[in-house]
Amino acid sequence: MTKQTKKPALPNFRVLGLDLSLSPGIAVVEVRNRTPYLIACDSVATSTADTDAVRNYTVETFVGHFVREHRPFDIVVREDFTSGRNKRATQTIFSAWAAADRALAAYGYYAEDLKPALAPTSVKKYVTGNGKAEKSEVAEGVRRYLRLDPAYKFRTGYDDSDALAVCLAYLLRENLIDEIGGVAA
């Protein structure tokens, strides 16, 4: 029989997670005794009928309002952008990043330049065990890790769930929370 060593308790801390696009998701997870707790999550959909300037302003004000309402945070993490389907997709993602960065900076925060970055497939794999999981599967993994009721509803498009998955993937990768049900990256 091998003796199991107990993992040391860590101080409580909060992670702000971003899933950025022109319809972004944002979430806060607090960790207490290696257990993640949902503090808040939200998303906003912008309209393709609006100009890029209006859409980016919407992203910036949405992120700024969320940060103001739910701060403080110990770290800000975002899913990495790997490649756009085309030039236009790449432009819109980076414009959303810039809008979010402006909102974060107004409150003295910045998104960490994680090494290695949290690629979308890594986020999915950490939360579901499958790097090609569908959004509904990611949402189910998020519900399990956060002990949410199976009927807990995420917003249309699952961008809030995706932001929570970014938080959880970071926490799992850094070994700051415990795995559940055999899910491991």
Side-chain angles (χ1 to χ4, degrees), residues 48-65:
T48 56
D50 288 330
T51 65
D52 284 357
V54 169
R55 295 177 82 189
N56 283 299
Y57 179 74
T58 301
V59 171
E60 183 176 348
T61 56
F62 168 72
V63 171
H65 177 76

Side-chain angles (χ1 to χ4, degrees), residues 66-177:
F66 189 94
V67 167
R68 184 177 62 81
E69 291 295 314
H70 301 290
R71 64 188 167 167
F73 317 109
D74 296 293
I75 188 168
V76 178
V77 297
R78 65 178 158 208
E79 184 175 68
D80 189 35
F81 176 68
T82 50
S83 68
R85 297 177 304 276
N86 54 48
K87 179 181 174 183
R88 175 76 178 134
T90 301
Q91 289 170 332
T92 61
I93 293 297
F94 285 128
S95 70
W97 275 37
D101 285 349
R102 283 189 303 273
L104 291 168
Y107 291 94
Y109 292 104
Y110 63 93
E112 290 290 329
D113 185 20
L114 299 175
K115 302 288 185 208
L118 282 171
T121 54
S122 296
V123 170
K124 292 175 183 179
K125 188 163 183 167
Y126 276 109
V127 176
T128 69
N130 175 6
K132 295 181 180 184
E134 297 294 325
K135 284 187 172 273
S136 61
E137 295 171 290
V138 172
E140 181 54 37
V142 166
R143 284 186 195 95
R144 282 194 342 265
Y145 270 103
L146 295 173
R147 298 155 323 282
L148 301 174
D149 187 290
Y152 182 91
K153 296 281 187 206
F154 291 106
R155 303 279 301 256
T156 301
Y158 293 104
D159 295 303
D160 51 350
S161 170
D162 290 348
L164 285 165
V166 170
C167 291
L168 293 168
Y170 169 77
L171 293 167
L172 287 162
R173 185 182 81 183
E174 300 301 315
N175 194 27
L176 298 170
I177 61 173

Side-chain angles (χ1 to χ4, degrees), residues 10-15 29-37 171 176-177:
L10 299 171
N12 296 352
F13 62 95
R14 298 177 102 188
V15 177
V29 171
E30 183 170 279
V31 177
R32 296 179 229 134
N33 297 320
R34 299 188 56 82
T35 303
Y37 293 89
L171 293 167
L176 298 170
I177 61 173

